[in-house]
Amino acid sequence: MASSRHELLNISSFPANPSDISAEHEIFVATTRRQSIDQPRIVFGGDRSPNVAYASVDMTVPRIHETGRIERAKGRAQADPAKHFTARSVSFYKEPSQFARAIDANVARHKDRRVLVFVHGFNNGFDDGVYRITQIVNDTKYDGTPILFSWASNARTTGYLYDKESANAARDDLEATLRMLARSKAKSIDIIAHSMGTWVTMETLRQLAIAGDRDLGGKLGNVVLASPDIDVDVFKKQMLRYGKPDKPFVVLLSDDDRALQLSTFISGDKPRVGDYSDAADLASYGVIVADLTQASSGDRLNHAKFADNPVLVQLLGDSLRTHAGLAAAEDGDFGSPMSTIGKDIGQAVGSVADIVITTPFKVLSIAAGG
């Protein structure tokens, strides 16, 4: 059972002055969590459901919001829309077809008809995933339909093995969700996965490749794997089964990721992809590797730099707004677009730290903010 800190909804509506709100976001949800009936403010808890549930959450972002941060109420306090990320309401869809129609209606309102699927990591409550995708979409200025795939993490630091099995159990459900999106009016499906969520994502993409549909009928867009909690040897096998991507996946790693250091210990001292020191080895499988070690983090564990470092968020946003994005290629040079974006950001922020980009073709060092 989730703790009170994972309550997403307020007890009652909280008055909000429109001038205090900077943005509103409709977050669509596909989840393998069981709905929390006894604690409805949690919405979905950590127990596994045999069936995928579908919902949408109306979120607001306060005008005082700072890029890279998630301002939220503490403990059981009500969220104040003038100060905090706030969930105004949740809508539930009884049938997948209803959810699919709602997705299509939202996609049609966006010029480029893109969707972004976010797959959260270990030790996340349902609320954590909702807050994080809202922050990502808001701060990257993503112009598309945001979809949270929320698998049944029980949101406990002691629940690593439970979470790993929940991730395993969610593979077919993520595949079904991606196939649903491929049948939608969306023209491009971007994926950002974090931590243990990268395991669910890679296993699902591997399944799609085995089924002969690794690029979702040509709709698969950017794939960003942030702080992957995957055994390096397993990841190599996954990539071999998937095959070298037409548009390389992007792996964001950091040698000072304390959360993955713990995961490495739990896993018998086998290195995880997210803190692997041999970027060139990973790049040989067709991925772009960005080493974020020198970049600062708002998280003491250095586990979410991709989202909580303001400059990295800007870099990610600029890349996602480019149709080919981080995995774009110019005359066979997969690093060119990222290099250009990085230099622009470096010039803008002044104080810089190097991010080392390793591609299948070369190693680049770009200024991307301290």
Side-chain angles (χ1 to χ4, degrees):
M1 185 178 296
S3 66
S4 61
R5 70 183 179 88
H6 288 290
E7 293 174 341
L8 177 68
L9 296 173
N10 280 339
I11 296 175
S12 59
S13 61
F14 202 107
N17 189 325
S19 63
D20 293 328
I21 306 299
S22 68
E24 301 176 6
H25 299 281
E26 183 177 16
I27 306 298
F28 291 91
V29 176
T31 182
T32 60
R33 297 173 182 270
R34 190 181 298 276
Q35 189 172 346
S36 180
I37 303 301
D38 57 335
Q39 297 185 72
R41 292 173 61 193
I42 291 175
V43 188
F44 292 101
D47 293 332
R48 302 170 190 149
S49 171
N51 303 307
V52 179
Y54 303 97
S56 63
V57 185
D58 287 329
M59 294 292 298
T60 62
V61 177
R63 193 163 298 281
I64 65 166
H65 167 64
E66 297 178 10
T67 299
R69 292 192 61 195
I70 298 176
E71 295 86 358
R72 59 183 295 179
K74 295 181 180 180
R76 298 185 66 100
Q78 291 221 93
D80 179 351
K83 300 177 181 178
H84 311 121
F85 280 60
T86 303
R88 292 191 301 191
S89 63
V90 176
S91 300
F92 299 94
Y93 300 93
K94 293 183 178 180
E95 301 293 337
S97 58
Q98 294 178 330
F99 183 72
R101 286 194 296 271
I103 292 290
D104 272 340
N106 190 279
V107 165
R109 293 199 286 269
H110 297 278
K111 178 182 176 182
D112 294 328
R113 297 195 173 187
R114 305 171 69 188
V115 300
L116 173 64
V117 178
F118 175 63
V119 187
H120 65 75
F122 158 67
N123 189 24
N124 269 224
F126 176 69
D127 59 323
D128 296 319
V130 172
Y131 285 129
R132 180 61 78 187
I133 189 174
T134 301
Q135 180 251 319
I136 290 172
V137 169
N138 187 83
D139 291 356
T140 62
K141 299 179 174 60
Y142 187 85
D143 185 21
T145 301
I147 301 167
L148 169 66
F149 183 80
S150 184
W151 51 276
S153 164
N154 72 353
R156 292 190 178 95
T157 55
T158 56
Y160 189 87
L161 293 179
Y162 176 89
D163 277 18
K164 187 63 179 288
E165 297 307 323
S166 291
N168 287 336
R171 292 172 292 188
D172 290 349
D173 299 308
L174 177 56
E175 179 182 352
T177 300
L178 293 176
R179 289 190 182 279
M180 174 193 294
L181 296 175
R183 294 190 299 269
S184 75
K185 295 178 180 178
K187 293 182 178 179
S188 178
I189 302 168
D190 298 320
I191 302 174
I192 297 178
H194 180 228
S195 187
M196 196 176 284
T198 63
W199 165 261
V200 186
T201 300
M202 282 303 304
E203 283 291 284
T204 300
L205 292 174
R206 178 179 178 274
Q207 291 178 187
L208 287 168
I210 292 172
D213 188 24
R214 71 178 194 162
D215 66 349
L216 295 171
K219 289 189 175 184
L220 184 63
N222 299 291
V223 176
V224 179
L225 307 175
S227 307
D229 189 0
I230 306 174
D231 182 291
V232 169
D233 294 334
V234 173
F235 179 73
K236 291 176 180 179
K237 288 289 189 179
Q238 290 169 327
M239 289 304 303
L240 285 172
R241 197 68 177 89
Y242 185 87
K244 286 197 174 183
D246 297 324
K247 292 181 290 186
F249 301 161
V250 180
V251 176
L252 306 179
L253 55 79
S254 183
D255 193 44
D256 60 352
D257 189 323
R258 295 187 180 93
L260 290 184
Q261 290 168 2
L262 175 60
S263 178
T264 296
F265 174 76
I266 293 173
S267 304
D269 290 329
K270 292 296 294 182
R272 318 309 283 173
V273 174
D275 62 354
Y276 189 47
S277 59
D278 193 346
D281 184 26
L282 295 178
S284 69
Y285 290 82
V287 301
I288 291 174
V289 182
D291 187 343
L292 313 181
T293 301
Q294 294 191 47
S296 62
S297 175
D299 171 16
R300 62 183 177 83
L301 296 177
N302 299 319
H303 192 52
K305 292 183 180 182
F306 79 103
D308 63 26
N309 179 302
V311 180
L312 294 180
V313 170
Q314 184 180 341
L315 174 60
L316 180 62
D318 289 347
S319 300
L320 289 172
R321 281 192 295 277
T322 303
H323 284 295
L326 290 163
E330 291 180 1
D331 299 325
D333 180 2
F334 288 104
S336 294
M338 180 175 268
S339 178
T340 300
I341 293 167
K343 288 175 182 175
D344 289 345
I345 293 176
Q347 292 169 358
V349 300
S351 175
V352 300
D354 281 345
I355 290 180
V356 178
I357 309 297
T358 305
T359 79
F361 304 103
K362 64 198 273 188
V363 176
L364 304 165
S365 181
I366 65 173

